[in-house]
Amino acid sequence: MRRTLVTAALAIALVAPVAAPAQSAPDDPHVATQESLDALRSDWTAPGGVVVAGDRDDEWTVSSGTAAIGQDRPITATDKFRVGSLTKTFTASIVLQLVDEGEVDLDEPIETYLPGVVQGANDGTEITVRNLLQHTSGIPDYLQIERMLDPRNQFRPHTLAEIASWGLEKPSEFEPGTEYRYSNTNYIVAGMLIEKVTGRSYDQELNDRIIGPLGLTDTYLPEPQHKQLVGPQVRGYFGQQFAYLDVTELIEPSMGLSGGGIVSTGADVAAFMQALADGTVVPRPLLPEMRTPNDLPGSAPKYGLGVDEFELPCGGVAYGHYGIWPGYQTIAAATDDGRHAFVGMNVLNFADGSAGMSGREILGRANTMVTALCDNG
């Protein structure tokens, strides 16, 4: 999306002061998290940032800056973000539910479920369902392809099949199962798998299997061409220093779908991650499958099936994911003992190179999420 947003930024500019970081009071029980969030926001020149964290007995929020430039409006736990690739954990969870129901086998070739879809440049008889969810398929990322960068494709609706075809037409990057390389196309194909096996839309399965049962009332997958966020929201920006472009409604939402299209809040994402860790979303016997690291060459050797592993400085581990969408950066995880945390910021820059990094790398630089998970007050 870099080329399109840079072009847009040249045409439109928004210049406004950004609120100063919140100052921690001497009796603030979450000083460490507040200081980490302030530093993270400063590092990436974000208008605002938020942490929503807690355990089974309590939940708390710290905020820095503002949800919208020109307003003094701290981000709250119920303000909506475009959470980008946090969607992948939802998608992987649905696939694992289908595994539990005997409808899908993780080690079965994707050709079994989607005959003729993955062929030619990529071999669906060699790529398993596990390879897709683990990013070890070798299928190229459609987000790095020319069609994704074409403005004409960013302002019209798309289907899962169309978006998947953009990645599938490119030659495989490696033999399936030999390397890890993050590819959004994997999770678009996983969305197609869900639709084929269930005979229902991805959106219906998402609502009936996760959003409804968990009561995630502020979480939804936008309909194609519905660019406006519903209800209280965090505005997303491109830019830095004192020049920002509001890109909240710039990109066609169906560019993300099962790979990155969900809109949610810090409270809802934290609740989902905790329910996942507790065995409520994916049956507990399948959690080890989900969490088993790929242990392969690449940038995330601890990535499992839609979750990554985060070691905590206070001991233990958390499992979660990270997300990027133009204007937004998010990350969230939970532990088996009931701790959970969501971190979100409302900027995504290109001039400083952050767009070429994973959400985990961007938000992990200040370790804000792990600080929150270890912050017992």
Side-chain angles (χ1 to χ4, degrees):
M1 297 182 184
R2 180 178 307 184
R3 188 179 306 163
T4 300
L5 288 181
V6 169
T7 300
L10 293 175
I12 306 171
L14 173 61
V15 179
V18 178
Q23 298 298 315
S24 300
D27 58 350
D28 187 341
H30 303 292
V31 174
T33 301
Q34 182 70 67
E35 290 178 349
S36 181
L37 179 63
D38 289 342
L40 177 64
R41 180 179 155 243
S42 176
D43 284 347
W44 297 101
T45 63
V50 69
V51 172
V52 181
D55 54 30
R56 292 195 178 95
D57 299 320
D58 184 38
E59 189 163 277
W60 46 273
T61 302
V62 299
S63 181
S64 182
T66 183
I69 289 176
Q71 302 178 30
D72 182 11
R73 187 162 68 85
I75 301 173
T76 72
T78 55
D79 279 331
K80 292 182 178 67
F81 280 81
R82 297 191 189 277
V83 299
S85 285
L86 279 170
T87 302
K88 290 179 174 63
T89 309
F90 288 77
T91 299
S93 296
I94 296 173
V95 173
L96 284 163
Q97 288 180 6
L98 293 172
V99 170
D100 180 63
E101 294 162 15
E103 298 293 332
V104 173
D105 186 325
L106 287 172
D107 296 311
E108 190 72 15
I110 191 63
E111 176 71 12
T112 301
Y113 306 104
L114 295 171
V117 171
V118 182
Q119 61 180 342
N122 294 269
D123 188 351
T125 67
E126 297 293 330
I127 296 169
T128 65
V129 176
R130 187 187 303 275
N131 292 149
L132 292 176
L133 299 184
Q134 205 175 48
H135 293 299
T136 59
S137 71
I139 298 173
D141 191 342
Y142 77 91
L143 285 176
Q144 305 300 320
I145 297 170
E146 293 78 7
R147 284 199 180 102
M148 180 63 189
L149 299 176
D150 187 339
R152 293 172 296 180
N153 287 330
Q154 296 192 16
F155 295 95
R156 63 179 179 85
H158 305 282
T159 64
L160 287 166
E162 179 193 11
I163 291 176
S165 72
W166 298 349
L168 292 171
E169 69 182 12
K170 298 293 184 178
S172 177
E173 296 180 325
F174 51 83
E175 288 294 319
T178 62
E179 294 183 38
Y180 165 93
R181 189 170 301 172
Y182 194 93
S183 173
N184 288 279
T185 313
N186 288 321
Y187 276 76
I188 298 299
V189 176
M192 296 175 67
L193 165 68
I194 291 167
E195 293 194 339
K196 183 70 171 181
V197 170
T198 65
R200 305 172 77 232
S201 71
Y202 172 79
D203 192 12
Q204 289 174 313
E205 292 297 306
L206 176 67
N207 280 297
D208 290 352
R209 290 176 176 273
I210 297 179
I211 292 175
L214 295 184
L216 307 180
T217 56
D218 291 320
T219 300
Y220 66 96
L221 186 74
E223 295 181 13
Q225 297 189 299
H226 286 217
K227 295 183 178 181
Q228 292 187 339
L229 297 182
V230 179
Q233 61 195 254
V234 179
R235 304 299 293 180
Y237 298 95
F238 164 78
Q240 55 188 340
Q241 299 301 326
F242 296 102
Y244 293 91
L245 169 69
D246 188 331
V247 295
T248 308
E249 286 116 24
L250 179 65
I251 302 299
E252 163 57 36
S254 60
M255 296 299 286
L257 298 174
S258 55
I262 286 178
V263 170
S264 191
T265 66
D268 270 11
V269 171
F272 164 70
M273 288 296 180
Q274 191 60 68
L276 180 61
D278 290 344
T280 302
V281 179
V282 171
R284 191 173 294 279
L286 281 173
L287 283 179
E289 286 273 18
M290 193 177 200
R291 295 172 172 180
T292 299
N294 62 74
D295 288 327
L296 290 171
S299 59
K302 294 184 178 180
Y303 195 97
L305 307 179
V307 293
D308 209 341
E309 179 182 311
F310 301 88
E311 293 185 10
L312 304 181
C314 54
V317 296
Y319 296 92
H321 212 281
Y322 23 87
I324 284 179
W325 186 269
Y328 301 93
Q329 303 171 36
T330 55
I331 189 169
T335 68
D336 288 345
D337 62 9
R339 291 173 290 159
H340 50 265
F342 167 93
V343 181
M345 291 195 300
N346 58 353
V347 74
L348 183 64
N349 298 329
F350 293 111
D352 57 14
S354 64
M357 303 168 66
S358 73
R360 181 186 186 191
E361 290 171 318
I362 292 171
L363 291 170
R365 183 168 284 188
N367 297 314
T368 304
M369 184 183 72
V370 296
T371 299
L373 288 166
C374 291
D375 190 348
N376 295 318

